[in-house]
Amino acid sequence: MVRTVFWRGEYLEVLDQSRLPHEEKWIKLRSYQEVVKIIRDMKIRGAPLIGVVAAFGVVLASKQYEGNRLEELRKTVLRAVEELKNTRPTGRNLFWSLDRVLRSADDSESIEEYRERLEDTAVRIMEEDVECNRRIGEYGIEIVNEEEVILTHCNTGLGTVDYGTALGVIRTAWRRGLDIEVIATETRPKLQGARLTAWELKKEGIPFRLITDSMVGYVMKEGLVDKVIVGADRILLNGDVANKIGTLTIAIVAQRYGVPFYVAAPVSTIDPKSSEIPIEFRDEIEVLECMGVRTAPEGCRALNPAFDVTDNSLITGIITDRGIAYPPYLESLQKILREC
Ligand code: MRU
């Protein structure tokens, strides 16, 4: 298992995921502007990890302020928060985490206290992520059976501080001795499955095969998959789930062939207020090339939505750190949130 982020007191150290699996490079972040850039460039990624790293962006912004007026510091930090919010719109954890960090320092009476509270909360969010994912694994193991083949999409291990959401469930099942296998989709255009999930599964010693995204129909129809477990970027109260582009297709095919489809995510991914999910559109170049090599003819245009929304009717259950929610989600998710 790999830890993706360390707070070193004066700076943040993160694993550069854009270089994996070929190179393990660590990057030191000393300003919130560097945090904004690293999130936007997807050198760190995955909804929970984005939330954690952004929280430290706020801490860094507060340390960058050189004046001695609390109100001015608050305004400086708020401007940084706006920039951090504008990095990636779909994942809910980013907004949840920024709001939580800010709120925790609301009634501070001095600059020192303000900074200290921001830092304490950011550290707490980071450590809670580890706990949450372990709990997701504990709840999730309930739905995993001996000798199952589990299909997963994108990457849900390095998208957290360490243990993983969907990958956390798979990891727990494997560590408890269940003889499972994984099918990982490569996840075009950024290849999080081929580059990251395959790397993590290999490290953990879990047997797996990689498939291209277009092989999902084949493996389901042939009965090669027993269960799907994916992560989430945002979950609405009605149970609709935004996750990496391609998740919707997997869910539709899974329903067609009677394969249970589960989502695993911490409660902080549940959005209790919105009824719609903003979908991030990324640069066309990510589709027109693959790992920096142009694959499409010059002059070609592309569409590049980074996420899609899977309808609640396609989802068998949502595994959270507070238990598994089953349909009707409006009731089960609300109950989970009430008990938090
Ligand atoms: O664009 P990414 O790589 O940030 O998208 C990641 C996903 O869609 C993950 O499935 C999700 O964030 C959960 S990561 C624990």
Side-chain angles (χ1 to χ4, degrees):
M1 191 172 67
V2 178
R3 186 158 171 133
T4 54
V5 57
F6 292 94
W7 174 239
R8 305 292 190 197
E10 288 304 311
Y11 62 90
L12 192 67
E13 203 163 5
V14 297
L15 178 61
D16 180 353
Q17 300 192 19
S18 69
R19 306 232 183 187
L20 291 172
H22 307 298
E23 198 186 336
E24 277 177 56
K25 189 186 162 220
W26 287 83
I27 306 176
K28 294 185 172 75
L29 304 169
R30 296 179 191 277
S31 70
Y32 85 86
Q33 291 90 341
E34 289 174 306
V35 171
V36 165
K37 186 157 171 23
I38 210 157
I39 295 175
R40 214 171 254 148
D41 294 347
M42 289 179 67
K43 292 193 173 182
I44 67 100
R45 30 115 346 248
L49 182 62
I50 292 171
V52 169
V53 171
F56 285 105
V58 182
V59 177
L60 290 171
S62 78
K63 287 183 186 285
Q64 284 170 264
Y65 174 73
E66 288 174 351
N68 56 8
R69 292 178 40 219
L70 180 58
E71 277 322 298
E72 200 174 66
L73 169 59
R74 278 187 204 277
K75 282 189 191 140
T76 309
V77 166
L78 276 181
R79 278 196 296 273
V81 166
E82 279 318 299
E83 280 186 57
L84 287 160
K85 281 188 175 172
N86 280 328
T87 50
R88 301 198 66 193
T90 304
R92 143 101 172 143
N93 309 61
L94 169 67
F95 302 91
W96 170 85
S97 169
L98 290 172
D99 289 343
R100 181 170 165 193
V101 169
L102 272 186
R103 239 190 359 258
S104 72
D106 259 356
D107 50 4
S108 310
E109 284 171 5
S110 68
I111 288 192
E112 294 66 38
E113 187 186 356
Y114 185 77
R115 285 191 175 127
E116 220 173 87
R117 287 197 187 195
L118 295 180
E119 186 171 339
D120 286 352
T121 311
V123 170
R124 202 166 314 130
I125 289 173
M126 177 169 68
E127 296 314 329
E128 278 176 15
D129 180 84
V130 176
E131 302 273 304
C132 281
N133 286 309
R134 297 236 172 216
R135 281 206 297 271
I136 289 172
E138 292 299 323
Y139 284 116
I141 196 165
E142 193 181 293
I143 59 104
V144 182
N145 300 311
E146 188 61 270
E147 294 194 357
E148 273 188 339
V149 178
I150 299 169
L151 184 141
T152 191
H153 186 52
C154 194
N155 173 266
T156 57
L158 300 173
T160 68
V161 172
D162 59 15
Y163 199 72
T165 55
L167 203 67
V169 175
I170 291 168
R171 209 190 292 279
T172 307
W174 176 252
R175 289 183 179 186
R176 296 281 162 84
L178 290 185
D179 188 14
I180 53 166
E181 278 181 38
V182 174
I183 290 183
T185 53
E186 74 173 343
T187 320
R188 272 283 286 152
K190 299 289 280 183
L191 300 177
Q192 291 95 327
R195 294 188 306 104
L196 309 176
T197 302
W199 186 68
E200 286 196 273
L201 288 168
K202 206 163 159 253
K203 268 191 187 299
E204 187 83 28
I206 303 173
F208 73 98
R209 304 272 190 101
L210 194 62
I211 60 168
T212 64
D213 303 331
S214 50
M215 294 173 190
V216 166
Y218 175 85
V219 292
M220 298 265 198
K221 188 172 177 185
E222 290 298 312
L224 302 178
V225 178
D226 297 303
K227 194 157 282 159
V228 177
I229 313 179
V230 296
D233 291 85
R234 193 186 293 238
I235 301 172
L236 297 184
L237 267 191
N238 70 358
D240 287 354
V241 170
N243 190 47
K244 179 51 55 195
I245 193 75
T247 304
L248 172 61
T249 316
I250 297 171
I252 292 170
V253 177
Q255 189 173 65
R256 171 71 179 78
Y257 293 107
V259 178
F261 181 98
Y262 286 90
V263 172
V267 164
S268 50
T269 305
I270 304 171
D271 180 346
K273 292 206 182 107
S274 313
S275 56
E276 274 183 31
I277 303 179
I279 296 296
E280 174 186 1
F281 274 73
R282 296 188 58 84
D283 198 313
E284 294 179 34
I285 196 70
E286 292 179 353
V287 176
L288 299 172
E289 58 180 37
C290 189
M291 296 308 288
V293 177
R294 179 90 189 185
T295 48
E298 288 304 326
C300 186
R301 297 292 311 272
L303 267 176
N304 191 13
F307 301 96
D308 55 31
V309 178
T310 298
D311 317 308
N312 53 23
S313 61
L314 299 169
I315 300 170
T316 312
I318 300 177
I319 308 160
T320 76
D321 49 305
R322 300 286 171 158
I324 306 181
Y326 290 102
Y329 290 111
L330 210 50
E331 279 171 31
S332 56
L333 289 176
Q334 242 157 6
K335 184 164 179 286
I336 279 177
L337 286 182
R338 264 201 310 274
E339 285 166 7
C340 281

